[in-house]
């Protein structure tokens, strides 16, 4: 026999609504989604709620429980005190359709804006070959179930609706990082796209997205921070700046002599194709992504207190980017170090 528990559930639509109180029977081992289904079967048959797999893999039942974005099917009632009132509300960042259902089309729009994986033209799909270390490097980000909890908790758009147009959010930052780490992706401007079009600079690394991820993806540490570092390397590295002066000297002399400049090369300014200074890459960036604007070169490099910058991108001896796990990590990872391991496993070993 279950016990009676107090719930407050938001009811309403895009025109408004409020929290309504319910007393619902809760049985041992149940999750919040079980309770919502019981409420639909008894007192509130018109309560709207999304769900699908009930196994934490589809991401459909995203909601905010006691103010924290969570999956209803993965939030056990045993985590709350018996006399605690459980408050369930829709995702705050996205427009409400009805009750606990929100319009998350913002995320699909940002997904369509993200340039797709671009394999080499001379390779057929069955001919792709990758080193295992490169597979491991981006495999973590492929665990994303697109529940959009990281998107709704990010304060950049949670508290500032006006930022949505210029900000893609954590889910698509890790998508950009995944493709930037992929050795078979031929687009060389992923970093520049993330900085210029996805709004990577808006992120101030509060790690709230990592905290709510039900797949325990280390979004900030393994995705966003390495991407920010690579953007800084390309944009502010003094050696890259020096290289741009050396390799463009002949082009500038041609322009002064009246010669026709090469297509896609913007003299005196850097396009979004980045620090590679490859005319083909710059032409592809301007044509394929339709950025149609230029970014002035920074006036001074950003350096640490010693006046130095890491040169990982220039000295790395393998394709793609340095591993976010660090060079001292071997693969496959031990079971206790996997991101999908239980968060309390270390405590259990101690006992």
């Amino acid at each position: 026999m279950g016990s009676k528990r107090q719930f407050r559930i938001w009811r309403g639509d895009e025109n408004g609504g409020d929290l309504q109180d319910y007393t619902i029977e809760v049985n041992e081992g149940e999750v919040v989604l079980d309770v919502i289904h019981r409420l639909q079967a008894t007192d509130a048959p018109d309560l709207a709620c999304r769900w699908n797999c009930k196994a934490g893999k589809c991401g459909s039942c995203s909601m905010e429980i006691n103010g924290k974005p969570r999956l209803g099917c993965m939030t056990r009632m045993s985590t709350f005190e018996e006399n605690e009132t459980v408050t369930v509300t829709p995702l705050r960042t996205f427009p409400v359709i009805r009750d606990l259902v929100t319009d998350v089309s913002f995320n699909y729009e940002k997904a369509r804006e993200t340039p797709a994986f671009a394999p080499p033209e001379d390779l057929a799909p069955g001919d792709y070959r990758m080193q295992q270390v490169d597979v491991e490097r981006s495999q973590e980000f492929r665990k994303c179930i697109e529940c959009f909890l990281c998107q709704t908790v990010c304060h950049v758009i949670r508290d500032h609706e006006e930022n949505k147009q210029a900000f893609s959010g954590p889910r698509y930052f890790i998508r950009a990082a995944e493709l930037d780490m992929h050795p078979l992706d031929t687009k060389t401007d992923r970093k520049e796209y993330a900085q210029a079009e996805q709004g990577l600079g808006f992120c101030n690394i509060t790690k709230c997205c990592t905290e709510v991820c039900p797949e325990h993806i280390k979004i900030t540490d393994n995705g966003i921070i390495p991407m920010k570092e690579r953007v800084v390397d390309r944009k502010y590295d003094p050696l890259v700046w020096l290289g741009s002066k050396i390799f463009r000297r002949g082009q500038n002399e041609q322009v002064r002599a009246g010669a026709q400049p090469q297509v896609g090369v913007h003299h005196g300014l850097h396009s979004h194709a980045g620090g590679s200074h490859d005319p083909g890459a710059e032409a592809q960036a301007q044509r394929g992504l339709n950025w149609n604007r230029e970014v002035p070169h920074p006036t001074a490099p950003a350096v640490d207190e010693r006046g130095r910058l890491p040169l990982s991108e220039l000295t790395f001896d393998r394709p793609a980017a340095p591993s976010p796990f660090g060079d001292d990590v071997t693969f496959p990872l031990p079971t206790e170090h996997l991101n999908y391991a239980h968060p309390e496993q270390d405590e259990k070993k101690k006992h």
Side-chain angles (χ1 to χ4, degrees):
M1 183 66 181
S3 59
K4 297 290 185 179
R5 302 286 289 274
Q6 295 298 316
F7 272 74
R8 300 192 75 197
I9 300 179
W10 195 89
R11 303 297 307 275
D13 54 26
E14 67 274 12
N15 298 319
D18 57 11
L19 291 167
Q20 296 186 15
D21 294 317
Y22 297 95
T23 301
I24 314 172
E25 179 181 333
V26 176
N27 299 318
E28 184 179 359
E30 288 189 328
V31 296
V32 170
L33 187 60
D34 292 324
V35 178
I36 290 176
H37 286 168
R38 181 172 295 113
L39 180 62
Q40 289 175 323
T42 55
D43 298 341
D46 60 338
L47 173 62
C49 174
R50 281 197 184 107
W51 71 282
N52 187 21
C53 73
K54 204 177 178 182
K57 291 302 177 184
C58 73
S60 300
C61 61
S62 300
M63 56 188 69
E64 300 201 4
I65 303 172
N66 285 358
K68 181 178 180 179
R70 305 182 184 186
L71 293 179
C73 69
M74 298 297 288
T75 305
R76 293 198 171 275
M77 289 302 302
S78 59
T79 60
F80 306 106
E81 300 292 337
E82 289 191 6
N83 58 352
E84 182 179 358
T85 299
V86 180
T87 303
V88 183
T89 56
L91 299 179
R92 176 179 137 185
T93 302
F94 307 118
V96 173
I97 297 177
R98 204 183 89 192
D99 298 338
L100 302 180
V101 178
T102 54
D103 180 2
V104 294
S105 59
F106 161 82
N107 302 286
Y108 301 118
E109 293 170 3
K110 294 302 179 182
R112 283 192 293 268
E113 293 173 3
T114 303
F117 171 65
E121 295 181 358
D122 58 343
L123 282 182
D127 296 333
Y128 294 168
R129 297 293 182 269
M130 291 174 59
Q131 297 292 328
Q132 184 62 31
V133 65
D134 292 323
V135 175
E136 299 281 359
R137 196 171 290 151
S138 60
Q139 192 169 22
E140 174 189 13
F141 306 132
R142 290 186 171 271
K143 295 192 300 177
C144 175
I145 60 175
E146 296 201 325
C147 59
F148 304 130
L149 296 183
C150 64
Q151 297 286 87
T152 191
V153 79
C154 182
H155 63 277
V156 176
I157 51 178
R158 186 179 179 91
D159 300 329
H160 304 278
E161 180 74 18
E162 67 276 8
N163 287 339
K164 283 187 176 181
Q165 184 176 359
F167 188 77
S168 294
R171 192 274 170 270
Y172 300 104
F173 292 155
I174 65 170
R175 174 61 175 162
E178 171 201 338
L179 292 172
D180 194 44
M181 296 173 183
H182 203 298
L184 294 178
D185 184 67
T186 58
K187 282 191 174 293
T188 60
D189 53 358
R190 298 286 182 186
K191 296 174 284 295
E192 290 74 16
Y193 179 81
Q195 190 268 338
E197 296 296 319
Q198 291 186 296
L200 183 65
F202 281 91
C203 173
N204 57 8
I205 318 178
T206 59
K207 297 191 178 184
C208 51
C209 52
T210 301
E211 292 176 2
V212 301
C213 179
E215 287 293 314
H216 306 294
I217 301 172
K218 296 181 180 178
I219 299 172
T220 312
D221 291 339
N222 290 353
I224 296 178
I225 292 177
M227 184 63 95
K228 279 178 170 285
E229 290 174 344
R230 293 196 289 275
V231 168
V232 168
D233 281 352
R234 283 290 189 236
K235 201 170 180 63
Y236 299 103
D237 193 314
L239 292 184
V240 173
W241 176 85
L242 180 60
S244 70
K245 294 297 184 182
I246 294 174
F247 293 115
R248 292 195 176 199
R249 181 179 300 165
Q251 297 173 1
N252 290 334
E253 291 174 354
Q254 291 178 7
V255 172
R256 286 194 297 269
Q260 182 68 26
Q262 296 182 23
V263 176
V265 178
H266 302 275
H267 301 281
L269 293 175
H270 287 274
S271 80
H272 293 295
S276 63
H277 308 298
D278 179 8
E282 297 203 14
Q284 180 191 45
Q286 295 292 342
R287 180 178 66 254
L289 298 177
N290 195 26
W291 285 325
N292 292 325
R293 69 175 190 267
E294 300 168 335
V295 177
H297 194 283
T299 56
V303 295
D304 59 17
E305 62 276 3
R306 298 179 300 166
R308 298 179 180 177
L309 273 176
L311 302 178
S312 57
E313 290 226 339
L314 299 177
T315 60
F316 198 59
D317 58 353
R318 294 194 295 272
S323 170
F325 299 98
D327 292 333
D328 58 339
V329 176
T330 58
F331 295 94
L333 292 172
T335 304
E336 60 270 16
H337 291 162
L338 294 175
N339 292 317
Y340 54 77
H342 194 281
E344 297 179 359
Q345 62 181 2
D346 294 334
E347 284 73 9
K348 292 180 180 178
K349 289 181 180 179
K350 295 177 182 177
H351 299 295

